[in-house]
Amino acid sequence: KNQVEQSPQSLIILEGKNCTLQCNYTVSPFSNLRWYKQDTGRGPVSLTIMTFSENTKSNGRYTATLDADTKQSSLHITASQLSDSASYICVVKIRNNDMRFGAGTRLTVKP
Amino acid sequence: DVKVTQSSRYLVKRTGEKVFLECVQDMDHENMFWYRQDPGLGLRLIYFSYDVKMKEKGDIPEGYSVSREKKERFSLILESASTNQTSMYLCASSPGGAGVINYEQYFGPGTRLTVT
């Protein structure tokens, strides 16, 4: 069983709409949580990093939340654009080089 | 701007062939990583290296080996390729030392390997 579960697996929305992606994790001890964006045919690129004490962090139209008590994180995308079409991967870091990756959510934004 | 490059974007090999995947980073990072990415499974760590000539097994090292003779280059070797090694292979690098816990990993574009 994956220790980092993402939902939904895939999502299709219309351009301009908002959406929220979920990440639940069971791993511990928790060090930090990153959201990555992976465009088709490219490697993942970091969007945000959240540490234990942070609840919300924004990066442009992307806002990540973290509830370390319930071990849940979300990534909210506002006013979606066609270029937001990608896979979004949640990664929880346990120790220095020990990370657990979610399987990703495949987002498609349609005109 | 950090750049991580991988030698091939697409590769087709036959079962039993020896396969070399090369990764080069230009930011003097101490840590380098090899992952494979399969649908529905997420990225899984094969090997990582935190210094020249140093290597550590990841979660799925079986059937793979690595080489790091120079700081900027990390090679993944499939000694005898098998069909279940058909996958997307991603290389990444990150700084080491103090503060490593919050350092970002920078990924290459990936190599899609097909073993027939």
Side-chain angles (χ1 to χ4, degrees), chain B residues 1-13:
Chain B
D1 217 21
V2 177
K3 185 169 277 187
V4 179
T5 57
Q6 295 183 226
S7 51
S8 305
R9 295 299 301 272
Y10 301 94
L11 210 51
V12 179
K13 295 291 182 180

Side-chain angles (χ1 to χ4, degrees), chain B residues 4-100:
Chain B
V4 179
T5 57
Q6 295 183 226
S7 51
S8 305
R9 295 299 301 272
Y10 301 94
L11 210 51
V12 179
K13 295 291 182 180
R14 292 188 181 274
T15 301
E17 277 192 84
K18 191 169 186 174
V19 182
F20 292 88
L21 302 183
E22 302 283 339
C23 175
V24 177
Q25 51 96 2
D26 66 357
M27 282 303 290
D28 202 36
H29 285 168
E30 286 80 5
N31 298 330
M32 295 189 75
F33 308 80
W34 274 107
Y35 296 91
R36 64 177 284 176
Q37 185 177 31
D38 300 290
L41 292 180
L43 275 75
R44 291 180 291 167
L45 181 64
I46 304 171
Y47 269 97
F48 72 94
S49 167
Y50 53 88
D51 202 351
V52 176
K53 296 191 186 294
M54 305 301 286
K55 60 185 179 185
E56 293 282 343
K57 291 180 180 180
D59 299 319
I60 51 165
E62 296 79 19
Y64 303 95
S65 62
V66 290
S67 172
R68 192 161 180 207
E69 296 297 318
K70 294 185 178 182
K71 191 175 186 180
E72 68 271 18
R73 188 180 298 269
F74 192 35
S75 302
L76 179 69
I77 303 152
L78 288 66
E79 294 289 341
S80 177
S82 63
T83 54
N84 63 13
Q85 292 179 309
T86 292
S87 186
M88 169 71 88
Y89 289 88
L90 287 163
C91 174
S93 74
S94 71
V100 65

Side-chain angles (χ1 to χ4, degrees), chain A residues 2 9 31-32 34 36 38 40-47 49-51 87 89 93-104, chain B residues 9-10 31 33 35 37-38 40-45 48 50 59 88 90 94-95 97 100-110:
Chain A
N2 199 343
Q9 283 190 334
S31 290
N32 62 54
R34 277 189 191 275
Y36 282 86
Q38 184 176 18
T40 301
R42 301 208 164 184
V45 175
S46 179
L47 291 173
I49 177 174
M50 303 190 73
T51 57
S87 287
I89 301 170
K93 184 172 269 193
I94 306 169
R95 286 177 289 273
N96 282 347
N97 285 314
D98 194 349
M99 286 163 284
R100 295 291 179 260
F101 289 78
Chain B
R9 295 299 301 272
Y10 301 94
N31 298 330
F33 308 80
Y35 296 91
Q37 185 177 31
D38 300 290
L41 292 180
L43 275 75
R44 291 180 291 167
L45 181 64
F48 72 94
Y50 53 88
D59 299 319
M88 169 71 88
L90 287 163
S94 71
V100 65
I101 195 75
N102 284 338
Y103 287 149
E104 176 183 349
Q105 283 195 338
Y106 296 87
F107 286 85

